[in-house]
């Protein structure tokens, strides 16, 4: 797996040329298709044997039914094991398209072209692919790396503030698990007036952190779990929201999830209360609230009990002693979890 940060069009053309004899199959966010058709797709459309499948980027599309539709499309269009699948979009597309590619004919080559900040720093990197199932996030999936990931930060120019803030939540996560310097540098990025060179250097740094953790612990048993900081609560919030038909983005869920897990970090490891308050204020100011109250705590707790990381019926958390010093595979009591949830209600 290779990540390419420059010469976007030339690299894409070279990759396409390698695979063109066996067909190029593009799975693309329909909104991105509309916006970027003249920008990046001209390279693709000049190829004779290119097929395009547009998808609405919602969590509902990250489903086994949509995967079946894509497998069918690949069969009907004559895709074979040497064909290339190109996923263009945010995390919805890279998760779904990666899963389809990883399973089609026991695995077909694919590349990711992430078009959201979330997908650039996180979803397209590290090889996790998958779909939601029975209301549970990413319940079915594989660990499969794309052949290439093409990073082009100009693709973010058309992204909404909300979508940028979603990816930014994961960038803050990298700061928390890496070190105080990266955390402060990430806080210094102004999403309303983006300094592109700072953004680019932060994206590269974040990708390197994820690559490193995915390399030393591909199957997410030990160190890679640092990346789950904020995510035990986040996945439960997302499952809860899906059940109630409430709109909730992954980034917003992660932002509030980090608030809850920093609270647990204070109790268990004496994490700095000032840093906790800095994050809490930031999240209140920049992210939508999640509409829950104390009557919902039992439901959210039940969703946590389904988390894939759990073992021996214990809910599994990644907690912090300080920025850069994480502790994976931690437990917390039900009372502590409910106390942490109070911060989401306030
Ligand atoms: N596999 C992993 O390791 C991993 C990691 C993090 C998140 N994820 C998954 O990623 C998904 C969220 O991904 P996301 O936040 O990228 O959201 P997304 O894919 O839903 O995209 C967000 C919105 O931005 C639009 N969009 C995308 N690119 C655009 C562009 N360049 N210009 C304008 N609009 C654009 C989309 O149409 C959509 O409306 C979740 O399902 C989450 O579980 C996976």
């Amino acid at each position: 797996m290779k990540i390419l940060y420059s010469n976007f069009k030339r690299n894409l053309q070279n990759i396409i040329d390698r695979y063109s004899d066996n067909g190029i199959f593009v799975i693309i966010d329909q909104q991105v298709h509309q916006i970027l058709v003249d920008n990046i797709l001209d390279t693709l459309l000049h190829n004779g044997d290119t097929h395009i499948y547009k998808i609405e980027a919602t969590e509902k599309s990250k489903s086994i039914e949509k995967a079946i539709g894509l497998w069918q499309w690949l069969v009907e269009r004559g895709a074979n094991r040497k064909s290339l699948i190109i996923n263009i979009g945010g995390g919805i597309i890279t998760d779904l398209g990666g899963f389809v590619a990883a399973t089609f004919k026991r695995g077909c080559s694919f590349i990711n072209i992430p078009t959201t900040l979330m997908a650039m720093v996180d979803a397209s990197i590290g090889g996790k692919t998958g779909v939601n199932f029975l209301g549970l996030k990413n319940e079915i999936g594989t660990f499969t790396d794309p052949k290439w990931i093409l990073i082009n930060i100009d693709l973010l120019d058309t992204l909404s503030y909300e979508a940028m803030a979603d990816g930014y939540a994961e960038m803050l996560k990298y700061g928390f698990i890496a070190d105080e310097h990266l955390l402060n540098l990430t806080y210094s990025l102004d999403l309303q007036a983006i300094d592109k060179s700072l953004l680019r250097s932060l994206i590269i740094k974040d990708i390197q952190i994820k690559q490193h953790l995915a390399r030393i612990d591909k199957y997410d048993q030990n160190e890679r779990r640092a990346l789950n900081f904020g995510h035990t609560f986040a996945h439960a919030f997302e499952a809860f929201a899906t059940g109630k038909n409430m709109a909730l983005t992954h980034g917003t869920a992660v932002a509030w999830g980090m608030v809850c897990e920093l609270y647990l970090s204070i109790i268990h490891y004496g994490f700095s209360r000032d840093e906790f308050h800095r994050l809490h204020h930031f999240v209140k100011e920049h992210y939508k609230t999640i509409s829950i109250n104390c009557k919902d705590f039992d439901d959210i707790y039940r969703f946590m009990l389904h988390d894939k990381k759990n073992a021996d019926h214990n809910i599994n958390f990644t907690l912090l002693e300080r920025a850069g010093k994480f502790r994976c595979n931690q437990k917390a009591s039900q009372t502590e979890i409910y106390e942490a949830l109070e911060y989401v209600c306030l």
Side-chain angles (χ1 to χ4, degrees):
M1 195 263 304
K2 267 204 176 132
I3 305 184
L4 306 172
Y5 293 97
S6 51
N7 300 320
F8 177 76
K9 281 203 174 194
R10 202 179 67 216
N11 284 326
L12 181 56
Q13 190 61 63
N14 287 343
I15 293 167
I16 287 172
D17 289 346
R18 282 202 202 183
Y19 287 87
S20 56
D21 287 351
N22 290 285
I24 306 291
F25 294 82
V26 180
I27 300 175
I28 183 167
D29 176 330
Q30 65 183 27
Q31 201 179 324
V32 172
H33 182 269
Q34 231 170 28
I35 299 171
L36 299 178
V37 75
D38 295 331
N39 186 352
I40 57 171
L41 289 184
D42 57 348
T43 310
L44 298 167
L45 295 173
H46 284 128
N47 185 296
D49 198 9
T50 298
H51 310 267
I52 296 185
Y53 194 115
K54 295 178 223 162
I55 291 187
E56 190 189 358
T58 66
E59 285 294 331
K60 283 205 175 103
S61 295
K62 235 175 87 172
S63 65
I64 200 72
E65 291 77 17
K66 192 56 94 181
I68 291 171
L70 282 161
W71 288 321
Q72 219 162 352
W73 170 69
L74 290 168
V75 171
E76 285 165 5
R77 299 293 171 103
N80 63 56
R81 223 189 210 172
K82 291 185 174 163
S83 303
L84 179 71
I85 293 179
I86 303 183
N87 300 316
I88 307 177
I92 300 276
I93 302 301
T94 56
D95 275 10
L96 171 68
F99 175 68
V100 166
T103 46
F104 183 68
K105 296 192 190 284
R106 294 205 183 92
C108 173
S109 298
F110 69 102
I111 69 169
N112 285 336
I113 301 180
T115 63
T116 64
L117 184 55
M118 169 71 73
M120 277 187 201
V121 295
D122 197 357
S124 71
I125 319 284
K128 283 189 185 175
T129 77
V131 295
N132 304 325
F133 190 60
L134 298 179
L136 297 167
K137 282 275 297 179
N138 308 325
E139 190 68 356
I140 309 290
T142 70
F143 285 91
T144 315
D145 278 316
K147 284 256 187 267
W148 287 275
I149 300 164
L150 273 61
I151 302 290
N152 176 358
I153 71 163
D154 293 339
L155 298 179
L156 301 177
D157 289 349
T158 53
L159 205 60
S160 67
Y161 173 81
E162 285 73 22
M164 282 300 281
D166 278 340
Y168 184 79
E170 299 285 3
M171 295 177 80
L172 280 175
K173 175 194 77 180
Y174 287 112
F176 278 113
I177 64 172
D179 58 59
E180 208 177 323
H181 175 69
L182 183 64
L183 181 62
N184 289 334
L185 212 55
T186 307
Y187 270 124
S188 77
L189 184 76
D190 181 354
L191 284 185
Q192 308 276 12
I194 288 178
D195 170 347
K196 266 200 171 182
S197 103
L198 174 60
L199 177 64
R200 186 181 151 80
S201 65
L202 288 170
I203 288 174
I204 293 173
K205 179 76 192 152
D206 293 346
I207 290 175
Q208 285 168 346
I209 295 169
K210 179 148 190 188
Q211 273 190 294
H212 170 70
L213 291 167
R215 200 179 301 122
I216 58 176
D217 178 24
K218 180 170 179 179
Y219 295 107
D220 207 3
Q221 297 302 308
N222 296 299
E223 296 91 338
R224 186 174 180 161
R225 289 191 170 189
L227 298 165
N228 289 322
F229 169 59
H231 283 63
T232 304
F233 278 89
H235 286 152
F237 294 146
E238 288 180 278
F240 175 80
T242 304
K244 299 269 181 211
N245 241 337
M246 257 163 52
L248 175 65
T249 62
H250 181 65
T252 300
V254 169
W256 285 104
M258 288 192 294
V259 170
C260 293
E261 291 177 27
L262 275 196
Y263 173 75
L264 296 182
S265 300
I266 293 175
I267 298 179
H268 286 259
Y269 290 108
F271 184 85
S272 152
R273 281 186 185 270
D274 287 348
E275 275 299 345
F276 167 78
H277 289 303
R278 171 152 78 149
L279 179 72
H280 190 208
H281 287 307
F282 187 87
V283 171
K284 276 200 289 192
E285 204 175 313
H286 293 90
Y287 294 86
K288 290 189 179 146
T289 50
I290 304 180
S291 175
I292 61 167
N293 62 49
C294 55
K295 291 197 204 96
D296 302 317
F297 289 4
D298 289 343
D299 283 347
I300 291 168
Y301 185 75
R302 261 194 297 277
F303 281 119
M304 283 185 180
L305 290 170
H306 281 286
D307 196 287
K308 287 185 287 301
K309 298 177 295 301
N310 296 346
D312 306 327
H313 305 291
N314 286 310
I315 300 169
N316 186 299
F317 296 99
T318 296
L319 302 181
L320 301 174
E321 280 181 34
R322 55 183 157 76
K325 182 87 181 115
F326 54 81
R327 298 266 195 155
C328 302
N329 301 322
Q330 299 301 303
K331 302 181 192 74
S333 71
Q334 188 169 358
T335 310
E336 290 165 348
I337 290 169
Y338 283 31
E339 280 169 16
L341 285 170
E342 294 284 351
Y343 286 93
V344 184
C345 301
L346 298 175

